[in-house]
Amino acid sequence: MLDDRSWRRQLGGMISAHACVAGFSAGAYTAMLLMGARVAHSQFESANPIKSPHRGPREFPDLADHVSPLLERSEVFRASWSRRSKDYSDPRFDAALVLAPGRSVLGFSAESLKRIAKPIRIVGGDADTIAPAQECCGWLHSHLPGAGLDILKGGVDHYVFVPEPTPQGRKLAPDIFTDADGIDRRSIHDEVASIAARFFGSFV
């Protein structure tokens, strides 16, 4: 889609050729890779000097226990693991909005972050227990010259950035779809949308 111009003509009018990327949590990690961040360590490998207090993410809580066995037994996994530190930057993207980046960003090479010249805006929540803002947003911001940082206040946790809950969602995944008292998820989404519009609109 980024390289094919035909769909723009079919929409009619002037469609910008500029492209930006936004990502939440693990998607924020992906957005940083596209900007030029390079992986020094996985957060779940013993060589990483920044130790994670967790053995894996919510969706795969014992992930760390599977790394060594997979490296021993799986040629496909070894090949993938060996590629983790390669350059995945994409010059077609002009900027990145990074929402609640997870602890995986702590495995980025600090030198690779210092070399990133493209605009980056980091947004986190002041009550994020999955990826604490001071630990994750703060660390990333400290290594990105010129990056912007917004920490949303009032008890904003990690999953406030995902869609508003349905009754079924609250029942099946209360930890994702239940917010602190006084938090209006729609208002948070509106605030983030405003940040994104101002950020991307300032140079596109």
Side-chain angles (χ1 to χ4, degrees):
M1 289 185 68
L2 290 172
D3 294 330
D4 182 0
R5 302 298 179 94
S6 63
W7 64 268
R8 294 188 178 97
R9 290 194 295 271
Q10 291 174 22
L11 289 175
M14 294 295 294
I15 307 297
S16 174
H18 289 283
C20 301
V21 61
F24 160 70
S25 196
Y29 173 86
T30 302
M32 288 305 307
L33 290 175
L34 292 171
M35 289 291 101
R38 301 280 294 267
V39 175
H41 297 95
S42 162
Q43 65 172 318
F44 300 118
E45 66 178 298
S46 57
N48 191 341
I50 303 177
K51 304 303 181 187
S52 173
H54 304 289
R55 303 294 294 165
R58 175 186 182 276
E59 298 79 8
F60 198 165
D62 62 344
L63 184 152
D65 300 327
H66 294 266
V67 173
S68 292
L70 283 169
L71 285 170
E72 292 175 7
R73 302 170 190 165
S74 172
E75 184 177 344
V76 172
F77 185 84
R78 283 196 301 274
S80 178
W81 186 262
S82 70
R83 294 193 298 266
R84 71 193 189 282
S85 296
K86 291 192 175 184
D87 181 4
Y88 293 104
S89 60
D90 191 329
R92 297 173 299 177
F93 291 99
D94 297 320
L97 178 65
V98 178
L99 303 174
R103 285 188 172 90
S104 53
V105 300
L106 303 179
F108 284 144
S109 156
E111 288 303 313
S112 72
L113 296 176
K114 290 176 183 176
R115 290 193 295 268
I116 296 174
K118 293 181 178 181
I120 293 172
R121 191 69 169 263
I122 306 164
V123 180
D126 66 340
D128 193 329
T129 56
I130 303 297
Q134 184 175 2
E135 181 179 349
C136 300
C137 294
W139 184 90
L140 194 57
H141 182 248
S142 71
H143 290 84
L144 286 168
L149 175 64
D150 295 281
I151 303 300
L152 307 184
K153 307 293 186 182
V156 177
D157 206 344
H158 192 69
Y159 292 110
V160 75
F161 297 100
V162 304
E164 295 177 66
T166 62
Q168 184 179 26
R170 281 199 182 95
K171 181 179 179 181
L172 295 177
D175 55 330
I176 291 179
F177 292 115
T178 302
D179 298 316
D181 291 343
I183 292 293
D184 177 22
R185 193 170 287 204
R186 179 173 294 184
S187 295
I188 298 295
H189 291 180
D190 288 344
E191 184 174 356
V192 173
S194 295
I195 291 171
R198 290 194 303 271
F199 173 56
F200 291 140
S202 64
F203 56 87
V204 173

